[in-house]
Amino acid sequence: MSTPLHVKLLKTMYRLVVDNLFAILAVAAAAAVLQRTSPETALALARLIRPAHWLLALLAAVGAAKLRRMGRPKDVYLVEYGCFRPKPWYRAPFATCLEHAHLMPYLVDEESVRFAIRLLERSGLGEETCVPDAYHYMPPDRSLKASRDETELVIFSAVDQVFARTTVRPEDIDVLIVNCSIFTPTPVFADMVVNRYKLRADVQNVNLSGMGCSAGLVSVGLAKNLLQVAPRGTHVLIVSTEILSSQYYVGTERAMLLPNCLFRMGAAAMILSNSAERARFRLTRAVRTVTAARDADYRCVFQEEDDKGNTGIRLSKDLATTAGHALKSNIAAFGPLVLPASEQLLVALSFLKRKLLSGRAKVRLYRPDFRTAFEHICIHAGGRGVIDEVQHGLGLSDEDVEASRMTLHRFGNTSSSSVLYELAYLEAKGMMNKGDRVWMISFGAGFDCNSVAWECVKPAADADGPWADCIHRYPVQLPEIAKDNISDS
């Protein structure tokens, strides 16, 4: 049901007044003073002040502004980003998945096959999602070599993309952060990147593991902390991926079959800097919430062996609900930093009303409208259930979550890199404008919830990214699915 016009006008007037309250009061006070003071009196007072005093006042104001800027942490910027775009021969359409499963009865029983295919059909994934070479073998190649080959393919492709889209060169990189949750070889991924691109000997490198799909935004938070204390002009290269080859689960536990069905190959690289030169986005906020103190959250995404000794990732059936609870905790810290005063006032009034009417009436807390703070929202494309939960919890429209659903459909769950594919979707569709604000939300093992806010400085000059060969076909209509006990990751 659409909101009546008079209600929309009232809301608009309310936001204009509350969000600009101090400016309105200042103008009113100035007008009152001017009304009581004649022009002759004001001119006489101005003549009493000597030019030297005017100069001292000006110098004091400039000095105060300078000290304020010096005391403020350095701004952090996203210079450029690039995503791995898989070739068509890596595609894994549902028919291929079904055929392979039937040809491997010694690995997967018929009941598990039916479950997996039903899950795929209801997952929100399309027929063009891609898996590594290792998954196309029968049985899947879970060797160390296969994982290294996949690593070099996706990571190097993403890094090549980001360097091709900017004038920053490998020798300009001062800090390298690479994240991958499950597969961590020796030497680590960070050393592989240093070796491939011949980064400087004094480059600081960090390799993050075990953090699941939230690690990409965790890396952004880490880079932010480093850049705010680093010399101006420092560059950080972040690479986010998940390597699948060695992680194919060959058992029959349904909760451990989910990652086989939902995760797909992908990687993204971004260059951050504390210099505004060549910047495309400015980082405004980064908030991380960890709920691992709760046992249910801690075991929500858990690597373990089944009763036959097969290793895999067990995803709780309550994963979407857990993500919703983690998001609430995250919003409690993130909201006050980004929401306009009009929304914060409504939240405070609803808290006060609940407090005053405690025990006498059930008062529903006001749900803030984050669309007043952001033009675009990128929800980690972890699964249809996760996106549904966040959309419902935040009261978002289908247009607000379009980038997340279309990324899930085209690329699947690419783990920590998914939010960059969503940003690329927004730019490829021409939705991004200078000054637009973007909210990225990710969830990961632990359980973690991360929120990162950006402001667009300069939109992309072209749509040459992971969507270049298919953006004209999106958005697509997704089939309606009745809810059942199948959960998404």
Side-chain angles (χ1 to χ4, degrees):
M1 183 181 295
S2 61
T3 307
L5 180 60
H6 70 279
V7 175
K8 290 183 179 179
L9 289 173
L10 285 173
K11 285 184 176 179
T12 302
M13 289 297 296
Y14 163 76
R15 287 170 180 159
L16 284 173
V17 171
V18 176
D19 293 342
N20 300 284
L21 183 60
F22 289 112
I24 293 171
L25 292 176
V27 170
V33 171
L34 289 174
Q35 189 177 10
R36 294 185 179 184
T37 306
S38 65
E40 294 79 8
T41 305
L43 186 59
L45 289 172
R47 285 174 178 171
L48 290 175
I49 302 174
R50 297 179 180 178
H53 294 162
W54 282 114
L55 180 61
L56 286 174
L58 178 62
L59 290 175
V62 171
K66 182 74 172 176
L67 287 173
R68 185 174 180 273
R69 283 198 301 269
M70 290 175 61
R72 192 178 64 185
K74 295 184 182 73
D75 283 333
V76 175
Y77 299 91
L78 171 59
V79 177
E80 193 52 90
Y81 66 97
C83 300
F84 166 70
R85 184 171 71 197
K87 300 295 184 182
W89 52 81
Y90 294 109
R91 288 175 59 242
F94 299 165
T96 300
C97 298
L98 180 61
E99 180 184 14
H100 281 211
H102 284 152
L103 292 173
M104 295 187 293
Y106 50 89
L107 285 184
V108 187
D109 59 38
E110 190 62 33
E111 184 179 350
S112 298
V113 172
R114 287 197 298 270
F115 169 78
I117 294 299
R118 182 163 170 260
L119 174 62
L120 276 174
E121 292 172 346
R122 303 162 67 84
S123 65
L125 274 68
E127 298 278 0
E128 295 184 85
T129 61
C130 296
V131 295
D133 275 331
Y135 276 29
H136 291 279
Y137 285 92
M138 292 178 287
D141 183 0
R142 298 188 293 163
S143 67
L144 181 62
K145 182 181 183 306
S147 295
R148 284 189 186 277
D149 289 344
E150 180 190 351
T151 300
E152 293 179 0
L153 171 66
V154 299
I155 285 184
F156 295 163
S157 296
V159 176
D160 286 345
Q161 277 287 313
V162 77
F163 280 133
R165 294 170 64 89
T166 181
T167 56
V168 178
R169 303 270 65 88
E171 55 267 25
D172 299 325
I173 300 301
D174 303 286
V175 182
L176 170 65
I177 303 173
V178 185
N179 63 264
C180 180
S181 188
I182 304 299
F183 179 61
T184 308
T186 301
V188 293
F189 293 161
D191 293 328
M192 293 172 65
V193 175
V194 171
N195 178 261
R196 168 66 179 246
Y197 296 94
K198 308 305 177 188
L199 303 187
R200 301 196 318 262
D202 64 341
V203 66
Q204 300 179 52
N205 61 324
V206 180
N207 208 93
L208 303 181
S209 62
M211 292 183 168
C213 304
S214 68
L217 297 190
V218 172
S219 299
V220 171
L222 174 58
K224 167 180 169 283
N225 294 337
L226 293 171
L227 287 169
Q228 286 183 334
V229 297
R232 196 167 298 279
T234 299
H235 291 92
V236 178
L237 172 62
I238 298 176
V239 185
S240 300
T241 190
E242 194 64 68
I243 303 305
L244 308 179
S245 296
S246 62
Q247 305 308 314
Y248 191 91
Y249 174 64
V250 295
T252 57
E253 287 276 349
R254 288 192 173 187
M256 299 172 78
L257 281 170
L258 291 173
N260 287 0
C261 300
L262 297 174
F263 281 89
R264 295 293 185 264
M265 66 192 304
M270 61 177 87
I271 296 175
L272 272 61
S273 177
N274 51 16
S275 170
E277 185 181 1
R278 298 171 291 197
R280 298 232 295 106
F281 291 86
R282 183 175 68 89
L283 178 63
T284 57
R285 298 292 179 185
V287 174
R288 182 185 180 196
T289 304
V290 181
T291 64
R294 296 180 69 244
D295 290 344
D297 290 19
Y298 173 68
R299 298 192 64 87
C300 193
V301 181
F302 209 81
Q303 185 180 23
E304 61 184 355
E305 295 178 343
D306 63 14
D307 55 3
K308 295 181 181 178
N310 299 309
T311 302
I313 304 295
R314 184 182 298 276
L315 302 180
S316 168
K317 61 182 175 63
D318 299 320
L319 180 54
T321 304
T322 301
H325 291 158
L327 180 61
K328 287 180 182 178
S329 299
N330 188 266
I331 285 176
F334 183 70
L337 302 176
V338 298
L339 286 170
S342 55
E343 289 298 301
Q344 295 193 50
L345 178 60
L346 291 174
V347 173
L349 289 175
S350 70
F351 269 112
L352 182 61
K353 185 177 179 182
R354 170 178 278 192
K355 190 77 173 175
L356 293 174
L357 297 179
S358 178
R360 285 177 288 172
K362 187 175 182 180
V363 178
R364 188 178 189 137
L365 290 177
Y366 174 74
R367 180 176 64 192
D369 185 357
F370 278 90
R371 288 169 296 188
T372 60
F374 298 100
E375 283 73 33
H376 311 287
I377 300 176
C378 299
I379 306 163
H380 163 56
R384 192 167 189 159
V386 169
I387 298 173
D388 287 347
E389 185 76 18
V390 177
Q391 180 181 7
H392 174 72
L394 296 178
L396 303 177
S397 67
D398 289 339
E399 289 75 19
D400 295 326
V401 298
E402 179 183 314
S404 302
R405 292 201 189 280
M406 296 307 105
T407 296
L408 180 65
H409 182 272
R410 173 60 183 87
F411 295 101
N413 182 349
T414 60
S415 190
S416 56
S417 64
S418 70
V419 287
L420 271 300
Y421 284 89
E422 294 169 29
L423 182 61
Y425 178 86
L426 294 171
E427 296 209 278
K429 294 295 286 185
M431 298 178 180
M432 190 68 63
N433 299 302
K434 183 177 180 179
D436 280 4
R437 299 156 298 177
V438 185
W439 179 15
M440 291 181 175
I441 309 170
S442 69
F443 305 95
F447 196 80
D448 281 14
C449 178
N450 290 267
S451 287
V452 167
W454 305 92
E455 181 183 349
C456 181
V457 177
K458 183 175 65 175
D462 56 61
D464 184 23
W467 297 90
D469 61 349
C470 62
I471 192 63
H472 60 283
R473 294 188 273 111
Y474 283 87
V476 298
Q477 183 65 42
L478 300 178
E480 291 293 331
I481 301 297
K483 292 189 175 182
D484 61 9
N485 292 327
I486 294 178
S487 65
D488 295 336
S489 73

